[in-house]
Amino acid sequence: MPAQGLKSGVNKNNADGLPLMRLFLSWKQKFRLLIFTTLISLALLTVASFWASQRLNSSLQAREDAAAYVNASTTVMNQWWRSNALRQQLTPDNQADFAAGLDELQQLADKLPAQAGALGDAETLGHAQQIQAVLQLEVAQQKRLLSLNQTLGLTPFEGQRKAMSDRSKALEAISFDMIKASVTGALSSQRDYLATSDPVFAEMTHAAIKKLQAQIDDLDWRDTPVGKTVHAFDQIFTETQNTIEQLSATNAQLNQLSEQLQARVSAQTQDLQNGLLLRRAQEAEQARVSSLWLMGLSFAGVAALLSL
């Protein structure tokens, strides 16, 4: 007589001829198994979704950070171009804006290394530090240029240019025929020098002044108003020449720094396009593809579990 309440029985043979046992579950057991399988599936989907989302977000954030650094570098260069444009046309009206722009340029440049460091790329950090170093020198020289221009005079009615004009008028007022030719030569050469900054005209002016002073000594007029006028003219011209020569040297250094800066920015741009930005884009794409694959495999696994 068959036993009552058995949950399993022999109903099939396997390939070797051995009997197979099939497990019979009650509806409560099946319901519990379904709940367990569903919870495991949901957990797998949640973990897979979270991992994929985190990796994709990290890659996208890294790409955005790289793009933000590129924008920061562009902002620095735009400010540099604005400062250079103002430098070419300094006036009493825009000198305050020029000085404020230099301060802003310095602040922007000082932020670059920190922004580059956050990218975790040594090559980009090196570029940022080099650009900052050049801009520090550039800003210092531009401020020196502003100071020298203010000393010289941003208009003919300011600084040494005004003093030179006043001394020239006093010298021109001398009406003695015996020194008139030397006076005319000195005045003509200094006007040409102020207009061109050509050292040749400076030498011509000094030669004319030296000849004029020799004539003054021959006439024993050194301590007279005429002699004092010639001395005052010589003194202010020498001071003005010194300022102009410093301006020329500063402009030459600024031109060199400008070439260095543009070369380093160009090198950074190429390295970013072929290096960091390209890698970040590839990493973001790889993260996106990996996320899709992981989600697909997770769904397949869940489907397999639910079909048991």
Side-chain angles (χ1 to χ4, degrees):
M1 183 175 179
Q4 300 294 323
L6 290 177
K7 296 299 182 180
S8 63
V10 177
N11 55 10
K12 286 186 180 180
N13 292 333
N14 62 13
D16 298 327
L18 298 176
L20 293 175
M21 301 294 293
R22 184 165 64 182
L23 185 65
F24 294 97
L25 300 176
S26 68
W27 69 269
K28 288 184 179 180
Q29 290 173 321
K30 291 181 179 179
F31 182 69
R32 289 171 181 169
L33 181 60
L34 177 63
I35 293 176
F36 177 76
T37 303
T38 302
L39 292 175
I40 292 296
S41 301
L42 289 175
L44 286 174
L45 282 175
T46 300
V47 171
S49 176
F50 178 78
W51 183 88
S53 176
Q54 287 295 104
R55 184 177 178 187
L56 184 58
N57 287 342
S58 177
S59 297
L60 291 175
Q61 184 61 52
R63 188 171 66 174
E64 290 178 3
D65 290 343
Y69 175 75
V70 172
N71 290 335
S73 297
T74 301
T75 300
V76 170
M77 289 306 296
N78 287 339
Q79 182 60 35
W80 178 78
W81 282 113
R82 283 193 291 269
S83 295
N84 272 272
L86 277 179
R87 174 165 66 91
Q88 303 301 325
Q89 49 185 1
L90 277 174
T91 67
D93 294 332
N94 66 20
Q95 59 180 325
D97 292 337
F98 177 68
L102 291 178
D103 290 337
E104 182 179 354
L105 177 60
Q106 182 67 72
Q107 292 173 4
L108 291 172
D110 288 342
K111 293 178 181 178
L112 277 183
Q115 292 170 314
L119 301 178
D121 184 74
E123 188 175 49
T124 303
L125 176 59
H127 283 305
Q129 291 172 335
Q130 290 176 351
I131 291 171
Q132 180 198 28
V134 174
L135 282 173
Q136 285 178 338
L137 294 175
E138 170 107 8
V139 169
Q141 290 301 312
Q142 295 226 40
K143 288 183 176 180
R144 173 175 170 76
L145 188 84
L146 174 59
S147 177
L148 288 170
N149 271 297
Q150 290 170 335
T151 299
L152 180 63
L154 294 171
T155 70
F157 312 106
E158 296 177 340
Q160 292 172 336
R161 294 173 68 183
K162 181 181 184 304
M164 192 80 249
S165 177
D166 293 340
R167 299 296 186 273
S168 296
K169 290 177 181 177
L171 186 63
E172 193 173 16
I174 298 175
S175 57
F176 296 101
D177 291 339
M178 61 190 71
I179 61 172
K180 195 67 176 178
S182 297
V183 168
T184 301
L187 291 173
S188 176
S189 297
Q190 68 87 22
R191 279 193 293 267
D192 290 337
Y193 179 67
L194 290 178
T196 65
S197 300
D198 189 336
V200 172
F201 292 117
E203 292 175 6
M204 293 173 62
T205 304
H206 282 300
I209 293 173
K210 185 176 181 180
K211 181 179 179 181
L212 184 57
Q213 288 176 328
Q215 292 173 319
I216 294 296
D217 289 339
D218 288 343
L219 295 169
D220 198 22
W221 287 355
R222 179 175 290 274
D223 295 327
T224 66
V226 174
K228 292 179 180 179
T229 299
V230 173
H231 176 72
F233 178 85
D234 180 36
Q235 185 177 25
I236 189 59
F237 180 77
T238 300
E239 293 173 358
T240 303
Q241 181 188 4
N242 181 53
T243 301
I244 290 175
E245 288 176 346
Q246 290 183 66
L247 276 169
S248 296
T250 303
N251 274 313
Q253 188 167 3
L254 282 170
N255 290 336
Q256 292 178 354
L257 290 171
S258 174
E259 292 177 0
Q260 293 179 25
L261 177 63
Q262 293 183 70
R264 290 178 181 179
V265 170
S266 178
Q268 174 184 257
T269 300
Q270 291 181 357
D271 288 342
L272 284 172
Q273 290 175 346
N274 299 326
L276 181 64
L277 292 177
L278 182 61
R279 290 197 303 272
R280 292 295 185 261
Q282 291 173 340
E283 289 168 359
E285 179 61 20
Q286 289 173 357
R288 186 186 70 82
V289 172
S290 298
S291 299
L292 291 176
W293 272 103
L294 182 61
M295 293 299 295
L297 291 174
S298 299
F299 277 115
V302 169
L305 285 174
L306 292 177
S307 65
L308 292 177

